[in-house]
Amino acid sequence: MEAGKAAGTDSGEESRMIKVNVKFGGRSIPVEIPLDSTVRDLKSILQPLTNVLPRGQKFIFKGKVLVDEMTMRSSEIINGSKIMLMATQGLHQGDGPIKQEAPAIEKNLRRRTSELLKANKEVSVPKSQLERWKATGVIALSECNLKAIPEEVWMCGPSARLLDLSHNSLLQLPDKIACLSSMQKLLLNANDLSDKLISWEGLTSLKSLTILSLNQNCLAVLPSAIGALTSLRQLLVENNKLTCLPTEIGLLTNLQILKAANNRINDIPASIGECISLVEALYTSNNGLRSLPSTLFKMCSQLSILDLHGTEVTMDVLRQFEGWDDFDNRRRLKHQKQLDFRVAGSAEFDEGADKRY
């Protein structure tokens, strides 16, 4: 019966979506997929849902192993079919941000969404995509030509863990951001956001937020309210128009990485020394910096990278800071560990201030 249908398909039938249930790790994962998609496409869709790389996935349907080139149709998979997924040990991609090539189906879905949103501001995000957001906690809307955040984003509520809205044309971040109460990673790079049109009250209510990335926007000020994000581990505000950092930056005692290069910052507040977890990097290059708090190395006892290129702070000045020797030892040790990945160079201080003669 199904074969008969396949023989007489038209263009509408070829693009027909089916819903299958993938059994994995004691749970059932619902997936919508076009009937003529391949097993390889299904693996790509399941990567962010299972955290298993495609090459580590093996599907079994009706006692047979499905190979990558087979389609849902040729495998006799129909709406409601149940497929077992077995994962090869060692091919899980682990925790942290998912880095992957977006599958063709996902790209097409995002492109259709982008085109519809551009043509009609009132259009809804496809239901299948909303369900995927809720199931995975990952809302990926980068490069979608958005001028406003779709209402469906707020429907995800506490299930959302990562929201990527980078490389759009967003002008504001509304109060509704507060409803994403379990948000851990918020990526807003390369938009048109100004500090006056960001709901800082809503943003700073996200107590689980660990990564906030606002690179390449139009920020002139970081408000004192930023100090309320006490779980923050990474604060990325490069390529804006910032002239200072708030004193309340010192309240971010879990902050490990601060990137504020290519702004207009003249001075760093002494409270930076209270960011005791700064461990990997303090990037402040290409600003108008003339000085640093003399207690920086003493207070930030784990700091190992300090990027001050393009500033007026010299290495001779830094050597006079209390804690310089310990910092320099950490810096050299980190440099030694990276020799296999970098071109070996001089042992001179090359991650801090430029020499002046």
Side-chain angles (χ1 to χ4, degrees):
M1 186 81 175
E2 187 68 24
K5 288 184 180 179
T9 57
D10 55 21
S11 59
E13 173 68 13
E14 289 175 358
S15 61
R16 183 166 70 87
M17 301 288 287
I18 60 171
K19 190 170 186 176
V20 299
N21 294 295
V22 179
K23 301 293 183 180
F24 175 68
R27 60 192 176 111
S28 180
I29 305 173
V31 176
E32 276 193 315
I33 189 168
L35 187 59
D36 287 301
S37 295
T38 64
V39 171
R40 183 181 289 108
D41 292 331
L42 181 58
K43 287 183 176 181
S44 295
I45 290 175
L46 282 164
Q47 180 180 352
L49 301 178
T50 62
N51 236 20
V52 180
L53 298 172
R55 66 177 182 274
Q57 298 179 32
K58 180 186 293 186
F59 293 122
I60 298 177
F61 180 63
K62 292 184 176 180
K64 297 180 180 179
V65 176
L66 305 181
V67 298
D68 286 355
E69 293 73 21
M70 297 174 68
T71 66
M72 301 299 106
R73 188 190 302 276
S74 65
S75 303
E76 298 183 348
I77 294 173
I78 60 175
N79 197 49
S81 290
K82 296 178 181 179
I83 305 171
M84 180 178 293
L85 168 60
M86 299 181 66
T88 302
Q89 188 173 6
L91 287 177
H92 291 252
Q93 57 188 13
D95 295 326
I98 296 172
K99 297 180 179 179
Q100 60 171 344
E101 283 189 14
I105 293 173
E106 191 72 16
K107 283 184 177 179
N108 290 337
L109 183 57
R110 286 174 56 191
R111 184 170 61 248
R112 291 198 302 270
T113 303
S114 171
E115 290 170 351
L116 288 170
L117 287 170
K118 190 173 182 181
N120 184 352
K121 292 183 179 179
E122 301 301 321
V123 75
S124 298
V125 167
K127 184 178 180 181
S128 59
Q129 189 165 10
L130 176 57
E131 291 175 351
R132 189 176 301 115
W133 290 347
K134 290 181 177 180
T136 65
V138 176
I139 306 174
L141 283 172
S142 63
E143 300 182 25
C144 284
N145 298 315
L146 297 176
K147 293 185 178 180
I149 301 174
E151 286 297 314
E152 285 78 6
V153 169
W154 316 128
M155 294 180 187
C156 295
S159 65
R161 295 178 295 104
L162 183 153
L163 174 57
D164 186 358
L165 289 162
S166 300
H167 299 280
N168 284 294
S169 301
L170 299 178
L171 296 172
Q172 65 175 343
L173 187 67
D175 294 340
K176 290 181 179 180
I177 189 68
C179 73
L180 307 182
S181 55
S182 300
M183 182 63 57
Q184 297 174 18
K185 300 169 187 177
L186 180 57
L187 311 180
L188 295 164
N189 303 314
N191 279 284
D192 296 315
L193 294 168
S194 68
D195 44 280
K196 294 181 180 180
L197 292 178
I198 291 177
S199 171
W200 294 104
E201 182 179 358
L203 178 56
T204 56
S205 71
L206 304 178
K207 301 305 181 183
S208 299
L209 197 65
T210 60
I211 297 176
L212 175 59
S213 190
L214 285 159
N215 295 328
Q216 291 181 256
N217 279 285
C218 305
L219 305 182
V221 175
L222 277 182
S224 58
I226 200 76
L229 293 172
T230 53
S231 295
L232 209 60
R233 295 202 300 265
Q234 295 185 29
L235 177 58
L236 314 177
V237 289
E238 295 184 312
N239 297 291
N240 279 285
K241 300 176 182 178
L242 298 175
T243 57
C244 65
L245 295 176
T247 302
E248 289 77 8
I249 197 83
L251 298 175
L252 305 181
T253 54
N254 289 307
L255 192 66
Q256 297 177 4
I257 298 177
L258 172 60
K259 294 189 177 184
N262 300 308
N263 279 283
R264 303 170 184 175
I265 300 171
N266 292 320
D267 297 292
I268 299 289
S271 60
I272 194 71
E274 297 170 26
C275 296
I276 56 175
S277 298
L278 273 178
V279 56
E280 180 176 335
L282 175 57
Y283 292 94
T284 54
S285 60
N286 298 318
N287 278 284
L289 275 179
R290 296 185 294 268
S291 65
L292 282 174
S294 60
T295 57
L296 178 65
F297 299 140
K298 177 184 177 181
M299 299 294 291
C300 298
S301 58
Q302 300 183 68
L303 189 64
S304 60
I305 296 178
L306 175 62
D307 184 356
L308 292 168
H309 287 96
T311 72
E312 297 181 21
V313 183
T314 68
M315 185 170 67
D316 289 338
V317 169
L318 295 178
R319 286 174 187 254
Q320 298 175 33
F321 286 5
E322 185 177 359
W324 160 264
D325 290 339
D326 289 338
F327 164 73
D328 194 39
N329 287 336
R330 291 193 301 272
R331 181 198 66 80
R332 290 173 182 273
L333 179 61
K334 187 173 185 67
H335 178 74
Q336 184 66 37
K337 290 179 179 179
Q338 293 176 339
L339 283 179
D340 290 340
F341 305 97
R342 301 167 63 182
V343 177
S346 168
E348 292 294 322
F349 183 71
D350 62 353
E351 294 168 330
D354 294 328
K355 284 189 173 182
R356 308 291 184 191
Y357 295 98

